[in-house]
Amino acid sequence: MSRTPEVVSKLTESTYKNVMEEFNPALRNLVNLGKSYEKSVSAMTLAGKAYFTAVSKIGENAIVSPISRELDGYHD
């Protein structure tokens, strides 16, 4: 059974509309997820830098502390 060009055109247009109606929200969702991922990676980077800075300061303070100097004399 052959379809007329009008029927094929309407089926094609209907299929295209259905795909676009489902694709656009999914694409928006994907973009929003990408933005959220970018924000979380940025926050994780800042947290990592803050952690490294804090550990470095703790190490610097430990090196000059009186206890550290006293312990340093024990392994000579």
Side-chain angles (χ1 to χ4, degrees):
M1 175 181 245
S2 177
R3 295 186 174 147
T4 64
E6 293 82 21
V7 171
V8 171
S9 176
K10 286 185 181 188
L11 283 171
T12 303
E13 185 177 335
S14 174
T15 302
Y16 177 76
K17 283 182 181 179
N18 286 338
V19 167
M20 290 308 292
E21 286 173 2
E22 292 178 21
F23 180 73
N24 283 340
L27 184 59
R28 270 187 246 117
N29 189 32
L30 181 63
V31 169
N32 288 335
L33 288 172
K35 288 179 182 178
S36 295
Y37 177 77
E38 183 181 12
K39 286 180 185 179
S40 67
V41 168
S42 178
M44 186 175 63
T45 302
L46 289 174
K49 287 179 181 178
Y51 175 78
F52 178 78
T53 301
V55 170
S56 295
K57 287 182 181 179
I58 290 170
E60 290 169 1
N61 289 337
I63 287 173
V64 297
S65 73
I67 300 295
S68 177
R69 288 187 189 144
E70 184 178 321
L71 291 174
D72 191 39
Y74 284 116
H75 63 75
D76 285 337

